[in-house]
Amino acid sequence: MEDSLDMDDLFGEGPSLPLPSAPTAKGLGQKLDELRASGCNQKVAWSNLGCIAHVKRDGTGLVIRNLFCRPEDGKWTLGGEFPISQVSLNDDGQRIVHLSWNPSGADLAVVDVLGRLSIYTIFIAVNRVSLSRPGVVDQEDDLGAIVGMAWLNIERMFPLYRPAVKDSNGQFQYSATNHKTFGPFHPMPSRSTLIGVTRGGMVRLWYQQHDARWLEVNTELESIGSSDDLLSHASFSSDRDNSLLLVIHTTSHQIRLYRININWNIPANQKPIPQSQVPSTASLQISHVKVDDFCFPLGHVEGKDVSQSQIGLNDISRGNMSRAQLSHLEMIPPAPQLSKHSEPSYPIIMAAFSYVPTPLEESQQNIDTFSVIARWELRSAAQKLHPSFDKLGTRRNSVGSTNEQSLDLRRMSDITVRKAILAIERTNSSTTIAISYGDGSIEFRDRSSKVPITANEEFHRVSSMPQAGFAFPIDDPCLHTALSPNHCLAIGIDADGEAKLRVMEYTLGPLDTHEGDPKVTPVVIALALQFAVSCANHLNNDDLATVIQQCLGLQLERQFLSESQRAINMSVDYSHEPQHEKLFRNPMIQRCLSLQNTLGYKGELNHRTLTAKIAWATLHLRLAALTFAITFNNVKSTAGGGAENDYTRPEVLHSLLGVVRWSMDLMNFIIDDLFSLSRLTKGRTQDKEFVQQKVLASIPRNFLRYNSRALRGLDETARKILKNSVDGDQKQVFHGLKDIIDASPVKVPHFERILTDVDGSVKGAYQSQSISNEDRAAAEKEMLVDAGIPDPLMPVVGRLLTTTLNGLSNDINPAALYFEDPSWLGLSDDRSSDAFKQTCILDAIRKIPLTSGTNLRRCTRCCAHMADLLPQKGVSIWVTSMQRMCLCGSLWMLVKHLQPPYGTERR
């Protein structure tokens, strides 16, 4: 019987059945309908400052959110919603359709369905905005809906980093070329400009005056002859000649290209521009460049057979290209040229066509979701005209004449994907493109080839985080997506209006730091390279800190900190002559110390790591030094024609008392710690285990020297004022200052002698052992990043703990230091310091305890607090200057009122 059975007949292979496609995400069809109707449809936006704005579910409200570090455990998370109450009133309850941040990340453009523009500005705190331009001033117009808009670039130089390549010694080398952003620019670098085009073909330019007021100029693109000339999508980009390129898509499926020049009516080569000469009226000059009547995917479309198609219809097995409709139109500017010998890039027009089948089509006709990306490259072409054309006059309207150099639209091959494209963003100076899809995936593609950038095994060459193995995991689909400043986090809004935070993950497996895993170093290099990019472009890097916290351990974090300093070529060696001016003007020092502190911060219930404490103390020293510098350099004219130092005014000096008290107590804390360390290491001063935590590197030591000199100057001024002044209020405040200085067991001259002795010993140690500049820089980095003491400086430690302290003990009473209370400094791990943090919150800028009921700001990164002081007359200039950002360089966020948010036990 078994012989009579044919198993192939029973279980033989029949015709293959297609796998069912993934179910269509909720709201995807409606989202695509919105994308097809207008090119302005961004409902969520993430600014370069780190502020997130997104439209409420009902479409008429707007909320602000931000990423922040939780004070409970030091973990990064997405903050709560802060509604902007003015939005509904300002827009008359109209539906909001588009959001866009300016390049600096401080100004937010909000566009409603009628094309009315409101602009909001971040005001000190990341979750507080103020209205700078109301949309109600715009007229309602049926053709006024905005279909494309863009902010103008800020005129500046920026480095473009090449891939890091491993040399013959096994060390990765970083290189970058400097480039200037493409124009046009606002004549005042601190002011913003925004340009847009309406459905009816009106180009609108909004620009700020020197007093931050917004003005507007309108110019008609072309006259609208019929409904076929109405615009559906538009996109702007800068070009190398500092003009703007504008591409539009009409309802008749044409794409038209224009060049726009902005005339600011300012004399040429006049920089800087005086405020009085900022133009009250600018003008636009628009010239028509090219037209393409066939804006469709290549292939058989409506009876047209395009033979130059390079993809073939087989790439879309169950669909027809004619079903896809335009959803995105992007003008990608030329990328910076990496070298003189590299081939220049050209502007690229990118049009995305997407199609999502209905449930009936999906079930009965087996039609899949798909998208097609069409591309045109704009290349220059010489055009010779007959000399008779030179005799013709120019046309009076703005759509102008033909130039000798024209642009040719060269159609490139199309790209097909079996997903619906929902968002397109330019990244990394427009050298890459990020695309968000309807299935929840996000991918990065090269700007020219559009080839996806994915992980590879090139461990000797690192160009970006995606190439090194980082990628966004596929999550639940979101209808609206925006990437973070460093493109390693994403915020998505689903069909129910809920926000979801997505974090890049490392996809090539676990990192083994003990077995020589070849993946480890490329991961660190990729993160350091992105950190360098964020520093060069002044981007908030809280998103990068989030990724580092999740994928790197303590050992790799220190390796990352060292590599990040190499990537930005930051000097940490200030062991020779004092260079206070360079320290003050180097923002990279603050950025590196801020990240170092963040990586070692585990929440207020835990103690900082040693490297984080070094960074935290140095940031406070830098704040104090800047405070003294701003105050001493602010000189005001008096009624009699003389000059008066700002710090001699009672209200200014009173604001300095907290910083003075902190500085004096820090001196006492350092000396007391050195005496304690000297007793512990008696007879074994070469023991690194005891001394490696206490010797300061050259950067904090230089800040200490500057602050000591400032304290000495304040002390001398106090004595003169108390002797000669007749102003009762002034004498009272200076009495308070003198009491703080006199009560200190360690006097300023004594501490300055210690610093002078350490400086001399360090210089002598380097010179006597013929330490090279490279080795000296490595030694300084070891002290700052690894909290270690290099071998060449161990004799300095021995001298400091013996000879230097023995001499100091003859001038002060070491026993008096025992009764000083340094707990409020936040630099110790003892019980008294823990108890202080549990019972009191300190103003990190002014160094004073905050009273109950005080409105607070909290730093989004280091969780430091400050009273919410609004700019007002009588506030010291240093407070006004320093309160704009936290001492770590991050933004403030508003919290309701003073209440210790932590537990009572500390681990």
Side-chain angles (χ1 to χ4, degrees), residues 364-468:
Q364 296 184 359
Q365 303 180 31
N366 293 329
I367 299 177
D368 279 339
T369 297
F370 68 90
S371 296
V372 181
I373 301 176
R375 299 171 295 159
W376 294 261
E377 190 176 53
L378 278 65
R379 286 184 176 257
S380 298
Q383 186 176 19
K384 295 182 180 180
L385 299 178
H386 191 277
S388 299
F389 282 92
D390 295 334
K391 302 177 182 180
L392 298 177
T394 59
R395 296 173 59 182
R396 297 183 61 185
N397 58 8
S398 59
V399 180
S401 59
T402 305
N403 298 322
E404 292 185 358
Q405 287 290 334
S406 64
L407 289 177
D408 280 343
L409 284 177
R410 180 177 300 179
R411 183 71 182 259
M412 306 169 71
S413 60
D414 287 2
I415 299 169
T416 61
V417 290
R418 290 186 175 87
K419 307 174 184 179
I421 295 176
L422 296 186
I424 298 175
E425 289 191 37
R426 312 169 194 169
T427 62
N428 196 19
S429 301
S430 296
T431 58
T432 57
I433 304 297
I435 304 179
S436 302
Y437 295 104
D439 65 348
S441 60
I442 300 174
E443 70 175 1
F444 297 85
R445 291 177 176 257
D446 180 80
R447 72 177 300 276
S448 299
S449 66
K450 293 301 183 293
V451 174
I453 302 173
T454 56
N456 56 42
E457 301 296 328
E458 291 187 15
F459 296 139
H460 65 281
R461 182 179 183 274
V462 179
S463 58
S464 64
M465 291 177 61
Q467 180 265 332

Side-chain angles (χ1 to χ4, degrees), residues 725-745:
S725 177
V726 295
D727 187 332
D729 293 337
Q730 187 182 49
K731 294 182 69 174
Q732 181 180 0
V733 178
F734 270 98
H735 263 299
L737 170 67
K738 189 173 181 300
D739 291 342
I740 294 173
I741 296 176
D742 290 345
S744 173

Side-chain angles (χ1 to χ4, degrees), residues 532-565:
V533 172
S534 72
C535 292
N537 293 280
H538 311 291
L539 305 177
N540 177 280
N541 51 36
D542 290 345
D543 54 344
L544 195 60
T546 304
V547 175
I548 295 171
Q549 185 185 71
Q550 292 193 9
C551 73
L552 298 186
L554 178 61
Q555 181 179 349
L556 293 184
E557 285 179 357
R558 292 189 178 182
Q559 184 181 351
F560 162 76
L561 291 172
S562 179
E563 285 294 336
S564 63
Q565 292 184 11

